[in-house]
Amino acid sequence: MSSADPFVLTAPLKVLYQDQYIVAVDKPSGMLVHRSFLDKHETVFVMQTLRDMLGQHVFPVHRLDRPTSGVLLFALSSEVARLLGQQHEQQLWRKFYLAVVRGFLPAGGQLDYPLKEQLDKIADKFSSTDKAPQQAVTRYQPLQQIELAIPVSKYPAARYSLVALQPLTGRKHQLRRHLAHLRYPIVGDTSHGDGKHNALFKQHFNCRRLLLVAKQLQLPHPVTGETLTISAGLNELEPLFSQFGWPLAEHYYQQQFAAHFLEEKWQKSP
């Protein structure tokens, strides 16, 4: 789907968690969170779709880029939205992503690489362009690899890694820009990725989306304080993962996130 094609919701929006205070949905790739004058041709949005499903107003508390799928949380009142916003500012949320990247990422690590704020030509035309780069930190861990006997560019085969990611900051396009900086760009990234590999996935797997999933969100419940773990599905990526022989089971990814991104592990690291 190109950016010029209006998004079409082919199945009901999946609710991952709901109580009287909050609701989380599994946002499809390509779907905008809310209306934007930058995408005037769009008619379907998560916020309005969810509002119509629930029959009540919903309050966005964070965002996902349009091409990214996964866990998206809303408050059901302005007061709860305020509480969630405070949590977010205090960095009490833990976010975990999955990405398919070009190449064999050899080992995990933590990238602390400041990013200059990306401004939109229209929406940010009055913003300052001389701001210093902002701190941006991402933890990453390769989980699976595959080599495909498909020539690409000057190479006789194509190599890819499935990578778990934990952003510790929330800069615009942080994960996409950080992985591109590491020279392992996310497949399907039209801004920071590799066009030849994007074309390979379109041609051989009919895969036209950014291969980035907001897989899991952990946070204290804004009212009860209970720790919530909300997980999104792989959805349309399941056939691809199955073809590659990569795990589909949710418990596998929960175990990987817990094992590789445990805070104690990083605190003991030099």
Side-chain angles (χ1 to χ4, degrees):
M1 183 182 71
S2 73
S3 59
D5 295 327
F7 176 81
V8 177
L9 188 64
T10 57
L13 202 58
K14 183 178 180 181
V15 174
L16 301 172
Y17 177 88
Q18 182 181 358
D19 60 24
Q20 67 188 95
Y21 305 106
I22 59 177
V23 59
V25 299
D26 195 343
K27 186 189 90 66
S29 174
M31 192 176 188
L32 285 169
V33 176
H34 50 68
R35 295 181 189 277
S36 168
F37 70 89
L38 298 177
D39 295 277
K40 295 180 180 179
H41 64 286
E42 288 294 342
T43 59
V44 180
F45 312 91
V46 178
M47 190 170 163
Q48 284 76 16
T49 301
L50 184 59
R51 177 198 62 198
D52 294 344
M53 283 174 54
L54 301 181
Q56 68 175 100
H57 192 66
V58 296
F59 299 79
V61 292
H62 69 127
R63 68 184 184 190
L64 289 178
D65 291 341
R66 174 178 178 168
T68 304
S69 66
V71 182
L72 185 63
L73 185 66
F74 292 85
L76 296 179
S77 71
S78 58
E79 174 60 19
V80 171
R82 184 184 65 80
L83 295 173
L84 289 169
Q86 290 176 346
Q87 287 185 354
H88 208 207
E89 290 177 5
Q90 295 167 7
Q91 298 184 322
L92 299 180
W93 293 15
R94 300 181 73 209
K95 301 176 182 178
F96 305 102
Y97 289 72
L98 294 176
V100 180
V101 306
R102 181 195 71 188
F104 281 180
L105 184 64
Q110 177 170 299
L111 177 62
D112 187 344
Y113 179 71
L115 295 172
K116 192 166 180 61
E117 185 177 9
Q118 286 191 330
L119 301 177
D120 184 89
K121 292 180 181 179
I122 301 176
D124 301 313
K125 65 179 179 180
F126 298 115
S127 300
S128 173
T129 58
D130 58 357
K131 292 182 181 178
Q134 300 171 303
Q135 184 186 29
V137 183
T138 300
R139 293 171 180 166
Y140 55 92
Q141 177 66 42
L143 303 180
Q144 303 285 330
Q145 296 177 333
I146 189 169
E147 182 171 283
L148 303 175
I150 303 173
V152 59
S153 190
K154 61 182 179 180
Y155 301 100
R159 292 179 169 184
Y160 302 99
S161 300
L162 176 63
V163 182
L165 301 160
Q166 183 189 13
L168 301 188
T169 51
R171 307 307 176 200
K172 187 175 181 180
H173 298 170
Q174 176 176 316
L175 298 179
R176 296 157 68 175
R177 296 167 72 187
H178 269 182
L179 284 164
H181 175 74
L182 291 170
R183 308 292 187 190
Y184 296 92
I186 301 177
V187 175
D189 188 344
T190 57
S191 300
H192 312 282
D194 185 319
K196 292 184 176 63
H197 290 266
N198 296 350
L200 183 151
F201 269 70
K202 288 179 183 178
Q203 179 181 351
H204 292 273
F205 305 107
N206 195 29
C207 187
R208 302 171 182 274
R209 57 161 289 183
L210 176 72
L211 298 190
L212 179 64
V213 180
K215 191 71 177 69
Q216 189 178 104
L217 173 64
Q218 291 181 358
L219 74 157
H221 191 285
V223 177
T224 68
E226 172 193 5
T227 298
L228 296 178
T229 299
I230 306 171
S231 298
L234 297 172
N235 302 325
E236 76 271 18
L237 296 184
E238 278 198 12
L240 182 73
F241 278 38
S242 181
Q243 191 170 349
F244 287 179
W246 291 351
L248 302 179
E250 178 57 39
H251 68 81
Y252 168 81
Y253 295 104
Q254 290 188 5
Q255 291 170 351
Q256 296 300 314
F257 294 146
H260 295 297
F261 299 131
L262 191 68
E263 289 301 320
E264 289 76 4
K265 170 189 172 183
W266 294 92
Q267 290 168 1
K268 294 176 184 178
S269 299

